[in-house]
């Protein structure tokens, strides 16, 4: 960890704030950015259209369980996407048309400048976030860009481990769509850790969550930040800055959900053979010159490098 003063976490609890984009009667979209990506969560009615004219890079579309269903079109392909699915959309023109009411979450990279500019917290990143590793694109998929669609139910093991990671990656990001939780996290088995030079978004769509965060100290006492232990309702998202020690736990009695998002993809996860579900579709990058471990602290077994 360095002596640099960490950037403050961005927290968005959507129903407590105005949306950043509205299609009257059809959709309301809350846009929260990090240094290298943005999370856009839309409440949609049937017929709502979420369109990209010429998106520079791939983006991801998460339709949560109980969320909206939609047709997703790009490059002459069309997919009938159901709730509880992930779709990777190729660069270029694309269109999502909701066929039922519910939530649609999109993750777009920094290259989607118009989306980044709409974010409610764009001022937080006005300095360009120089502490972050650059979001270099990883190699193109083996068979070229196309719509890639993953119904998620097949990757859940009912009655299995409480924490079931489900990790997917593209050329520009990596998401971990944990199987939803019916029981609460054991408070003697938390995993406070930090990331040296990349940020993490934790998107929570069900239940209530506490994101514990501790900011690194710098040499100036007056700039020290208090720990954060605030409880958040859902749907909501938190952007955890680089170097901030963090761990999240769910509270209350309801089903809970948490999806982690990283951009660029995490090399430590991508190198764990068999860990990234769609790893056979995307080549790994050549080993970078700076190949050190980027994550420190208390880690659970699944979080450790392979
Ligand atoms: Fe983390």
């Amino acid at each position: 960890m360095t002596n640099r003063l960490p950037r403050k976490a961005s927290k968005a609890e959507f129903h407590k704030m105005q949306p950043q984009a509205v299609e009257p009667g059809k959709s309301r979209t809350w846009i929260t950015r990090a240094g290298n990506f943005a999370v856009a969560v839309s409440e949609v009615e049937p017929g709502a259209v979420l369109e990209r004219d010429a998106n520079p890079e791939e983006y991801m579309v998460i339709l949560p369980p109980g969320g909206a269903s939609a047709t997703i079109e790009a490059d002459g392909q069309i997919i009938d996407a159901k709730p509880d699915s992930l779709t990777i959309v190729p660069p270029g023109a694309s269109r999502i048309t909701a066929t039922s009411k519910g939530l649609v979450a999109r993750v777009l990279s920094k290259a989607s400048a118009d989306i980044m500019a709409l974010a409610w917290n764009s001022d937080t990143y006005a300095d360009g976030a120089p502490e972050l590793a650059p979001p270099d694109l990883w190699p193109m998929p083996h068979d070229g860009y196309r719509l890639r669609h993953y119904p998620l139910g097949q990757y859940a093991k009912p009655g299995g481990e409480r924490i079931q990671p489900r990790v997917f990656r593209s050329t520009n990001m990596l998401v971990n769509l944990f199987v939803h939780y019916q029981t609460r996290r054991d408070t003697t088995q938390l995993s406070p850790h930090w990331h040296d030079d990349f940020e993490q978004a934790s998107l929570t769509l069900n239940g209530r969550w506490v994101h514990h965060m501790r900011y690194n100290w710098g040499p100036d006492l007056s700039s020290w930040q208090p720990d954060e232990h605030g409880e958040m309702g859902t749907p909501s998202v938190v952007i955890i800055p680089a170097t901030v020690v963090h761990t999240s736990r769910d509270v209350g009695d309801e089903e809970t959900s948490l999806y982690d998002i990283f951009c660029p993809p995490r090399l430590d996860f991508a190198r764990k053979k068999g860990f990234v579900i769609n790893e056979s579709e995307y080549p790994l990058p050549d080993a970078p010159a700076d190949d050190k471990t980027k994550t420190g602290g208390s880690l659970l077994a699944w979080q450790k490098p392979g």
Side-chain angles (χ1 to χ4, degrees):
M1 300 176 83
T2 69
N3 285 333
R4 190 191 157 278
L5 178 65
R7 166 182 321 282
K8 287 289 286 181
S10 295
K11 298 175 179 178
E13 198 170 330
F14 306 135
H15 291 161
K16 292 183 176 175
M17 58 195 287
Q18 293 297 313
Q20 283 66 57
V22 176
E23 183 188 3
K26 293 293 187 184
S27 68
R28 300 191 301 160
T29 301
W30 290 264
I31 302 170
T32 306
R33 69 163 292 177
N36 290 335
F37 61 99
V39 181
V41 177
S42 304
E43 285 186 345
V44 298
E45 299 291 332
V49 174
L50 304 172
E51 200 161 18
R52 302 293 298 155
D53 289 337
N55 206 61
E57 298 181 0
E58 290 178 303
Y59 68 94
M60 294 200 184
V61 182
I62 301 164
L63 300 182
S69 52
T71 56
I72 303 178
E73 301 168 72
D75 204 19
Q77 288 179 275
I78 182 162
I79 283 174
D80 182 17
K82 299 283 192 292
D84 201 14
S85 69
L86 169 72
T87 303
I88 300 175
V89 181
S94 58
R95 183 188 299 118
I96 302 167
T97 306
T99 52
S100 71
K101 179 184 176 73
L103 280 183
V104 176
R106 290 174 293 165
V107 187
L108 301 110
S109 73
K110 182 181 184 178
S112 301
D114 58 322
I115 297 284
M116 304 296 280
L118 285 174
W120 64 269
N121 62 337
S122 56
D123 286 353
T124 304
Y125 290 93
D127 65 353
E131 76 277 18
L132 303 178
D136 296 333
L137 283 182
W138 284 20
M140 277 182 61
H142 293 292
D143 59 349
Y145 289 120
R146 62 177 176 81
L147 277 175
R148 297 171 190 280
H149 182 64
Y150 310 95
L152 295 170
Q154 63 188 306
Y155 305 113
K157 300 185 193 74
E161 296 271 310
R162 179 177 180 278
I163 297 180
Q164 296 184 35
R166 295 180 296 188
V167 179
F168 297 84
R169 66 180 172 88
S170 60
T171 51
N172 56 352
M173 60 185 72
L174 179 147
V175 296
N176 188 355
L177 310 176
F178 292 99
V179 173
H180 290 205
Y181 301 105
Q182 309 302 328
T183 59
R184 296 296 80 89
R185 190 167 187 185
D186 180 350
T187 55
T188 70
Q189 299 293 322
L190 301 181
S191 53
H193 66 280
W194 70 89
H195 308 297
D196 286 345
D197 60 2
F198 61 89
E199 296 181 309
Q200 171 179 328
S202 289
L203 173 64
T204 47
L205 300 181
N206 302 85
R208 296 188 68 78
W209 285 86
V210 176
H211 302 289
H212 299 279
M213 286 185 277
R214 170 164 288 188
Y215 294 85
N216 195 18
W217 290 346
D220 179 356
L221 176 67
S222 69
S223 71
W224 291 6
Q225 305 292 318
D227 290 352
E228 296 185 17
H229 304 285
E231 190 175 313
M232 289 181 78
T234 53
S236 57
V237 67
V238 59
I239 308 295
I240 301 163
T243 75
V244 172
V245 177
H246 58 277
T247 193
S248 297
R249 66 185 176 92
D250 43 6
V251 295
D253 300 324
E254 308 165 80
E255 174 175 312
T256 64
S257 65
L258 182 145
Y259 303 142
D260 284 341
I261 297 160
F262 306 94
C263 179
R266 283 180 63 164
L267 192 62
D268 56 343
F269 284 175
R271 279 180 170 165
K272 289 171 69 157
K273 197 72 190 150
F275 188 61
V276 176
I277 289 170
N278 65 341
E279 67 183 358
S280 65
E281 299 178 46
Y282 288 84
L284 280 171
D286 294 335
D290 177 10
D291 202 16
K292 69 183 176 64
T293 299
K294 304 287 189 177
T295 294
S298 300
L299 300 175
L300 302 177
W302 69 266
Q303 294 173 296
K304 294 177 181 171

